Amino acid sequence: MYHKEKSIQVKNSASALYNNLGVLRIAPRHLTYFTVVHANVVNMVSASWDGLNYSHRQLQSKEPNVATSTSLIMQAAFCPLPSRDLLVVTSQKGIQMYESDGSIMVYWHALDTPETPTAQAVFARGISAVRESYICVGVSSGAILVFDVPIKGSNITLSEVLKEHKESITDIAPECSGQPGMECIADLVSADDGGNLYVDCIILWKGTVVAGYGTGQIHLYEAVTGILHAEINAHARWIYSLDIAPFSGLLLSAAEDSLVRVWHLTMTPETNSVEVAHLHNECVTDTQICGAKFCDGDGYAFAVTGYDLSEIIRYTQS
Amino acid sequence: MSSRTLPLLFINLGGEMLYILDQRLRAQNIPADKAKKVMNDIITTMFNKKFLEELFKPQELYSKKALRTVFDRLAHASIMRLNQASMDKLYDLMTMAFKYQVLLCPRPKDILLISFNHMDAIKDFVKDTPSILSQVDETYQQLIEMYTTLCSGEFQLIRQTLLIFFQDMHIRVSIFLKDKVQNSNGRFVLPTSGPVPYGTQVPGLIRMFSCTGEEVTRLQFNNGGNYTAALREGSFEIFRDRVTKLGTNMYSVSRPVETHMSGTSKNSAQHTKVNTAPNPLAKEELNLLAKLMGGLEVPKSGNADNVDNIVFQDQQVNAELAKIMGEFTESGEQSPSSSSKGDDLLAMMDGL
């Protein structure tokens, strides 16, 4: 169903972090941006679609002052909004927002970090663009910070703090049905550290929550009622990444077990049912996968990163 | 990332170091009482109360350089002396072994089981010395207190912190290459077969439900591997079966253990390639720990030996160990090695 393409070489290897691959498709310029986190650095690659041009850039985590130790980055993700695309980078010290090509940092939000380290780690993790003009970021305290983003410029403000969770946020996802004008009942789904079943990846699509667990299972729930639609014994190890191609309903899951799996979700609104079918496996030998994303809304191509690998592996439909 | 990682890093690396030193002492036929003294001295230093108090405080991981210095001091806490090349080799073996264990560990929580495997073995090394044994037991309690209540998400964060620490280390270790758990490019083999972790199901089943919760369909799919059901869970208590073999002494079977040092230069460059920005805080930590460890004398317990005898004994052991372990001078400084001496040392350490 898919075959492997030429990999993109990255300056550093990928760190073992959830969702450690950002992808942004810039159709008008025939480019795709990729981001991979390595410790305190974000490696950005801009790849032209004809495969001929690659340019690289590195972004560092921001330090509030020189005396403190290096801040590790937890996640880097693109937030596509109707008016602009931003790149959001979360770390132990705070949240940085850049223009999507990484050229300018437009906003910095510092987290409250205590003078001496506490047992509870402090960091931000879980990034999502929501609705027209918001970016939500999760924090280790369990709060979700909601930032208001203007159409252009750097006048980004923290507009709200949601405090529903008590445990560290692991992932946040927006409703991404890909259908403009569709009435959304739920805007955002968030997952946390608590409980015996540990959710670390989450997606919201057409009113269905897709959750990836540390046990390797994937569950599909109806967002509003919480009814379980499907349960998949998907992976033999911790799931690190979930992605959906909103136009085709293809689902991508990747785990520490070296496997990337492609599934197909079908919604039947009349019967309020969701069906899942397994389509394809790719094994990245001897690699714990930490990021997997579709490169386009139909799921025609996807890209994968793995711990200790200095490349972005790409697959395209045959 | 996690501020609870350092104790686990230290104890597991320390455990691996003891396994290697124990194997070397036995392989070189060092007299049992002297070998025991070396091991006891190092273990006593490792579990020094003040040192552990400092270690267990919530804090970021030390830099690679700082941690290496701690282990340099630890390795020299006894009468044994190692030269630079030997210490490098020892440290490479220790770190690759623990990296392997962290990577292969089925569930993040199993890192604690691996730590307990190391602790169990250390207890066995000092089982005849009650004073040190009680130090080790106390540390056991501290580990249980601090870690058994953590949820799996917090363990995964600890594991991720450790993996960042070990990132890009691909030193080839002979025992791993022989056992085919490491490839010739230095990367570990991650099998897609064998038992799944405790709490995980074998992949391959899709279940779909109606709105009322009844199972409507079951579908099987090809999981691309060869998995079997999970084994029973290992125990987190003091005297129990851990189930996992990760963290047990892989040198205890009598077979030659060597490391391939090709690619070393690249890797030692990586060892020294640390964040060179001046970091006053890290330096302070380093000084404190170095003081704690450097300032520790081998406790002169109330035995009948007078000072002269101990010195004499030390000199004897020193001479023997010097022959085997490498360079040694009276003052404990490391003299520069000539090329032929270097070969001897490498040949000697090839026994590892």
Side-chain angles (χ1 to χ4, degrees), chain A residues 61-268:
Chain A
S61 65
K62 181 173 156 68
E63 310 305 328
N65 55 67
V66 183
T68 53
S69 54
T70 316
S71 169
L72 291 173
I73 295 177
M74 304 298 291
Q75 196 179 358
F78 289 104
C79 290
L81 292 166
S83 54
R84 68 200 290 198
D85 300 324
L86 289 180
L87 171 62
V88 179
V89 178
T90 59
S91 70
Q92 293 176 279
K93 293 286 181 330
I95 300 159
Q96 294 156 258
M97 297 193 194
Y98 292 84
E99 295 296 355
S100 61
D101 62 356
S103 55
I104 312 165
M105 186 167 86
V106 295
Y107 183 68
W108 158 251
H109 174 93
L111 294 175
D112 292 323
T113 38
E115 285 286 314
T116 44
T118 53
Q120 164 78 19
V122 174
F123 54 81
R125 177 176 63 187
I127 301 168
S128 173
V130 182
R131 290 220 203 130
E132 308 279 294
S133 59
Y134 295 104
I135 288 179
C136 293
V137 181
V139 185
S140 48
S141 62
I144 296 176
L145 308 178
V146 183
F147 296 94
D148 202 331
V149 181
I151 296 175
K152 57 180 179 206
S154 54
N155 189 23
I156 296 168
T157 51
L158 175 63
S159 81
E160 209 181 331
V161 180
L162 305 174
K163 289 191 179 152
E164 298 294 321
H165 291 272
K166 295 202 176 56
E167 310 285 343
S168 288
I169 302 294
T170 50
D171 198 9
I172 301 182
E175 168 63 71
C176 50
S177 54
Q179 289 170 6
M182 182 180 131
E183 179 108 11
C184 298
I185 297 172
D187 282 325
L188 190 71
V189 64
S190 51
D192 70 30
D193 244 3
N196 289 326
L197 275 191
Y198 178 74
V199 179
D200 40 46
C201 300
I202 202 149
I203 286 174
L204 180 59
W205 183 64
K206 291 188 176 170
T208 299
V209 172
V210 184
Y213 289 85
T215 53
Q217 282 196 328
I218 295 175
H219 290 186
L220 278 75
Y221 298 96
E222 186 179 275
V224 176
T225 58
I227 293 174
L228 180 67
H229 282 305
E231 185 185 274
I232 314 174
N233 295 339
H235 287 276
R237 292 281 189 285
W238 208 278
I239 293 178
Y240 260 62
S241 198
L242 281 183
D243 195 27
I244 195 137
F247 305 140
S248 61
L250 287 178
L251 174 71
L252 194 64
S253 68
E256 281 176 356
D257 63 0
S258 306
L259 283 154
V260 184
R261 305 199 198 271
V262 184
W263 318 81
H264 187 234
L265 304 187
T266 327
M267 310 283 172
T268 318

Side-chain angles (χ1 to χ4, degrees), chain A residues 13-16 18 70 72 92 118-119 215 229-231 233 236-238 240 256 261 281 286 288 307-308, chain B residues 1 3 60 99 103 108 156 159-160 163 167-168 170 183 187 190 197 200 203-205 207 209 222-223 275:
Chain A
S13 57
S15 289
Y18 305 129
T70 316
L72 291 173
Q92 293 176 279
T118 53
T215 53
H229 282 305
E231 185 185 274
N233 295 339
R237 292 281 189 285
W238 208 278
Y240 260 62
E256 281 176 356
R261 305 199 198 271
N281 294 328
D286 298 335
Q288 294 199 343
Y307 170 65
D308 257 354
Chain B
M1 300 248 293
S3 54
E60 293 298 309
K99 178 173 184 176
L103 255 183
Q156 182 64 294
R159 184 169 175 275
Q160 289 174 339
L163 287 176
Q167 197 147 353
D168 302 322
H170 302 297
N183 296 316
R187 289 167 188 275
L190 301 182
T200 293
L205 184 64
R207 299 168 70 199
F209 304 94
N222 172 22
N223 63 28
N275 181 10

Side-chain angles (χ1 to χ4, degrees), chain B residues 157-180:
Chain B
L157 192 65
I158 289 173
R159 184 169 175 275
Q160 289 174 339
T161 310
L162 287 169
L163 287 176
I164 289 180
F165 185 82
F166 290 127
Q167 197 147 353
D168 302 322
M169 292 173 75
H170 302 297
I171 301 160
R172 289 151 51 192
V173 175
S174 201
I175 193 173
F176 288 141
L177 294 170
K178 278 207 176 71
D179 289 349
K180 304 226 187 301

Side-chain angles (χ1 to χ4, degrees), chain B residues 309-323:
Chain B
N309 277 354
I310 289 171
V311 168
F312 175 73
Q313 276 183 335
D314 283 353
Q315 281 177 344
Q316 241 188 0
V317 181
N318 281 344
E320 283 176 64
L321 285 172
K323 228 181 7 171

Side-chain angles (χ1 to χ4, degrees), chain B residues 138-152:
Chain B
E138 255 187 67
T139 311
Y140 246 122
Q141 287 303 334
Q142 274 184 288
L143 283 175
I144 289 176
E145 240 175 68
M146 183 159 172
Y147 291 101
T148 46
T149 50
L150 293 187
C151 69
S152 54

